[in-house]
Amino acid sequence: MSIYALGLGAVLGYDKPTLQELGIGSLFHDVGKRNVSLEILCKKGPLDEAEWAQMKMHAAYGLQILNNHPDISDAVKAAAFEHHESFEGNGYPQQLRGQEIHPFARIVALTDTYDAMTTQRSYNKPMSPTDALTMMKEKLAGRYDPEMLKAMFSVLFKMRAA
């Protein structure tokens, strides 16, 4: 997932120090899952309401963990805390919308979704890269910054051509 985030950051014109910070943010985005039970993290079927509420807490747990490290930047903390916000405003934990969401979190949201859709998980089989991109563009587009989604296509097509 981090390689996709770095590729997207490069296409967006980020300089080397910003790319390094983005890379750290993408690596730590799910650190809060360490406070979610393994039974929930590894469950093969759908989560019930209580399990889903616990899973959604991983964003806040991540911020708590990262706040214990003063050398971690606010941008990295935002990637962990805001990566499940939705560009249209119906994400979590704060229901931020559009430009209210930190750019690192918008990048992590895109790349994490693509990675989840194209990787074997306990709860689903992987989609082909083309099917994942099509679904992101046609059915999930409102969740993402439209300019970043467009740039994501550029990144993935460049990676596939290499």
Side-chain angles (χ1 to χ4, degrees):
M1 192 284 289
S2 293
I3 195 73
Y4 300 133
L6 291 171
L8 183 51
V11 166
L12 294 171
Y14 289 3
D15 61 17
K16 186 174 180 178
T18 306
L19 286 171
Q20 289 173 331
E21 191 175 26
L22 173 61
I24 293 167
S26 68
L27 289 171
F28 284 129
H29 80 280
D30 271 342
V31 69
K33 284 186 177 180
R34 72 174 230 184
N35 292 353
V36 177
S37 75
L38 282 175
E39 292 79 21
I40 292 173
L41 289 173
C42 299
K43 186 173 179 179
K44 293 188 189 286
L47 301 178
D48 65 29
E49 192 173 314
E51 291 166 334
W52 182 239
Q54 186 60 220
M55 179 64 88
K56 287 170 61 173
M57 288 298 299
H58 84 275
Y61 295 150
L63 181 60
Q64 290 171 354
I65 291 164
L66 295 175
N67 276 337
N68 289 323
H69 300 276
D71 54 324
I72 299 289
S73 73
D74 288 343
V76 169
K77 292 173 186 177
F81 188 54
E82 299 175 8
H83 71 279
H84 286 291
E85 297 291 355
S86 170
F87 206 71
E88 58 197 4
N90 58 1
Y92 66 89
Q94 302 177 98
Q95 293 79 48
L96 300 176
R97 69 180 315 123
Q99 303 300 317
E100 295 173 336
I101 306 165
H102 192 283
F104 283 13
R106 287 183 267 148
I107 289 170
V108 168
L110 268 169
T111 56
D112 188 40
T113 299
Y114 177 79
D115 184 60
M117 293 171 83
T118 59
T119 305
Q120 179 70 44
R121 303 291 172 125
S122 62
Y123 50 84
N124 72 332
K125 294 179 181 175
M127 298 174 83
S128 73
T130 302
D131 289 345
L133 288 171
T134 299
M135 180 175 278
M136 289 174 76
K137 182 179 177 185
E138 293 178 0
K139 295 183 180 172
L140 304 175
R143 293 184 186 180
Y144 310 110
D145 179 323
E147 294 304 312
M148 287 188 180
L149 182 58
K150 183 178 176 182
M152 179 76 171
F153 274 74
S154 172
V155 167
L156 293 170
F157 285 115
K158 284 181 184 177
M159 290 177 110
R160 290 186 68 183

